Amino acid sequence: LALSLGVATTLAQAQTAGQEDAPATMRVRFDVIFRGVPRYVLSAQANPVSADDRYWRTIALAPLQERVNLDANNLLRGRVDVHLSAWNAIDLTAPGAVDGRVVGDIAVGWARYHRGPWSVWAGRRFVAWGAPGGLHVDGVGAEVRLAEALRVEAIAGRPVTPVYGGLLGGRPGFDGATGAGGLRIGWSHPGALSASVSYLEQWAAGIPARRVAEASFVANPLRWLDLRGSVSWDLLGLGLMQADLDASAWLGRTVELDVGYGHLDPALLIPRWSILSVFVTRTFDEARARLSWRIVPALQVGAEGAAIHYDVAGVEASKAGPAWGGRAEVFARLSSRDRRESLVAIASRRDDGVQRMTL
């Protein structure tokens, strides 16, 4: 597929010559990775009579993995873009009859046609808006630019969970939600303010599994101040799923101060078709601050702290466990002159009110 698209790109570049549209470009990266990996499997006899008959054993794996990434833009007179990210692997030590000898998946694979103020796309794509954490979907979408800064986008398809590699063998399935659709309206003025509102709905077997309304913004009111915020509201459970508000200020050229607030309700993040949704989870609010200092261009040090308040909906405070927790962290980062390599050291203390640990 990559070679075929390479030929198409060459032809598209020839077609684009002499046109006012941007020239066609293509980036391809192909990696081959081989490594020997021990895998630990819990096995048992046909009719075990006690726990002693069950034991762990090690299976040697030798997966040969291939990865390809392709980004082709402005094909066919500057009107078509193609994007692909895929991988496959074969276990060289496994017998041919063993399940899981060959595996692979497509993380992203979609094509877009654009002309003037509108565009359409089809394939497997990651949608960053709508639900917290984004959504992978096999489907179609369209976008139209109503003004220089105003855009409207719509999508529809089936949610998917791509596999990104790792050891060979069985994989869990995430097939609860069978459909998704959404709409997003965004306004952007680079360097000043960008904001958007969106609505995303997922359903399974005709039953709504999730309806989420989201709003987000990024603002630069001053040269030394950045503001970021987002809020996601569950329209089925009528609750606040997730909210974040952060401010970053540069105190001179070497010191950066970040302060923020976060809210998370894990129960609303879990789809209603999942068995995990019946378990009680703790909602938490977090106030955080971070201070970093670039001593020299190659060395940066800093500290971060947060106070966290926990709550369990419908449970008395005396039965819900400790209400307060926190974390404290210090770090140092040493970078090369070209910033391509870095060495990071971190020490962190975590306390969720139940367990404490030092990392």
Side-chain angles (χ1 to χ4, degrees), residues 225-245:
L225 180 64
D226 286 349
L227 302 176
R228 304 175 302 277
S230 65
V231 58
S232 301
W233 186 266
D234 183 3
L235 299 180
L236 286 178
L238 297 179
L240 183 62
M241 301 174 64
Q242 185 174 354
D244 286 284
L245 179 61

Side-chain angles (χ1 to χ4, degrees), residues 76-100:
L76 302 179
R77 300 187 183 275
R79 296 173 183 173
V80 176
D81 301 334
V82 178
H83 304 276
L84 173 69
S85 178
W87 70 277
N88 73 285
I90 180 171
D91 184 8
L92 302 179
T93 63
V98 175
D99 293 337

Side-chain angles (χ1 to χ4, degrees), residues 146-161:
L146 301 179
E148 188 64 27
L150 183 63
R151 296 174 181 268
V152 178
E153 183 179 358
I155 65 163
R158 177 185 175 88
V160 294
T161 305

Side-chain angles (χ1 to χ4, degrees), residues 1-34:
L1 178 60
L3 292 176
S4 300
L5 289 172
V7 174
T9 301
T10 303
L11 297 175
Q13 287 177 334
Q15 295 173 355
T16 307
Q19 302 292 329
E20 295 181 358
D21 297 333
T25 61
M26 182 178 69
R27 287 184 176 181
V28 179
R29 175 168 179 169
F30 184 77
D31 300 321
V32 177
I33 303 171
F34 174 77

Side-chain angles (χ1 to χ4, degrees), residues 12-356:
Q13 287 177 334
Q15 295 173 355
T16 307
Q19 302 292 329
E20 295 181 358
D21 297 333
T25 61
M26 182 178 69
R27 287 184 176 181
V28 179
R29 175 168 179 169
F30 184 77
D31 300 321
V32 177
I33 303 171
F34 174 77
R35 60 183 179 183
V37 182
R39 182 182 182 188
Y40 300 94
V41 179
L42 180 62
S43 61
Q45 296 180 359
N47 297 302
V49 295
S50 68
D52 295 336
D53 293 324
R54 300 181 176 88
Y55 59 96
W56 289 95
R57 61 192 179 94
T58 303
I59 299 178
L61 297 178
L64 180 66
Q65 185 176 359
E66 299 173 334
R67 301 183 303 185
V68 61
N69 293 277
L70 167 69
D71 290 291
N73 297 301
N74 299 318
L75 306 179
L76 302 179
R77 300 187 183 275
R79 296 173 183 173
V80 176
D81 301 334
V82 178
H83 304 276
L84 173 69
S85 178
W87 70 277
N88 73 285
I90 180 171
D91 184 8
L92 302 179
T93 63
V98 175
D99 293 337
R101 173 179 170 85
V102 179
V103 293
D105 205 354
I106 297 176
V108 172
W110 59 284
R112 171 175 172 259
Y113 179 85
H114 52 92
R115 187 172 185 179
W118 61 271
S119 65
V120 294
W121 64 268
R124 174 170 295 184
R125 187 175 181 181
F126 178 76
V127 179
W129 52 266
L135 178 71
H136 261 99
V137 60
D138 287 347
V140 296
E143 181 180 354
V144 60
R145 187 173 65 249
L146 301 179
E148 188 64 27
L150 183 63
R151 296 174 181 268
V152 178
E153 183 179 358
I155 65 163
R158 177 185 175 88
V160 294
T161 305
V163 177
Y164 289 99
L167 301 180
L168 306 180
R171 296 289 181 179
F174 299 90
D175 302 323
T178 56
L183 179 69
R184 176 179 180 261
I185 302 176
W187 186 86
S188 177
H189 188 285
L193 174 66
S194 297
S196 69
V197 293
S198 62
Y199 171 80
L200 182 70
E201 179 170 329
Q202 296 177 247
W203 58 91
I207 301 174
R210 175 179 291 177
R211 288 173 177 166
V212 181
E214 182 184 65
S216 61
F217 76 94
V218 176
N220 308 103
L222 301 170
R223 294 183 59 184
W224 52 270
L225 180 64
D226 286 349
L227 302 176
R228 304 175 302 277
S230 65
V231 58
S232 301
W233 186 266
D234 183 3
L235 299 180
L236 286 178
L238 297 179
L240 183 62
M241 301 174 64
Q242 185 174 354
D244 286 284
L245 179 61
D246 292 277
S248 300
W250 282 264
L251 309 178
R253 295 185 177 182
T254 60
V255 178
E256 181 181 355
L257 175 64
D258 300 280
V259 295
Y261 164 79
H263 170 88
L264 180 64
D265 187 346
L268 296 179
L269 295 177
I270 302 173
R272 282 157 181 77
W273 43 260
S274 172
I275 187 63
L276 299 177
S277 62
V278 303
F279 295 97
V280 176
T281 56
R282 295 199 296 174
T283 301
F284 70 84
D285 294 87
E286 176 185 88
R288 51 185 178 259
R290 175 188 174 100
L291 182 67
S292 60
W293 176 31
R294 188 172 296 280
I295 302 176
V296 293
L299 178 61
Q300 182 184 33
V301 297
E304 182 176 357
I308 306 173
H309 180 263
Y310 297 95
D311 183 27
V312 180
V315 179
E316 297 180 5
S318 59
K319 299 179 181 180
W324 289 94
R327 57 185 172 86
E329 181 175 294
V330 293
F331 68 91
R333 180 189 300 273
L334 181 63
S335 303
S336 61
R337 180 173 298 180
D338 57 8
R339 303 293 177 87
R340 293 185 177 182
E341 300 173 351
S342 63
L343 176 65
V344 181
I346 301 175
S348 179
R349 178 68 172 174
R350 309 291 178 89
D351 180 4
D352 65 356
V354 179
Q355 295 181 340
R356 298 174 180 85

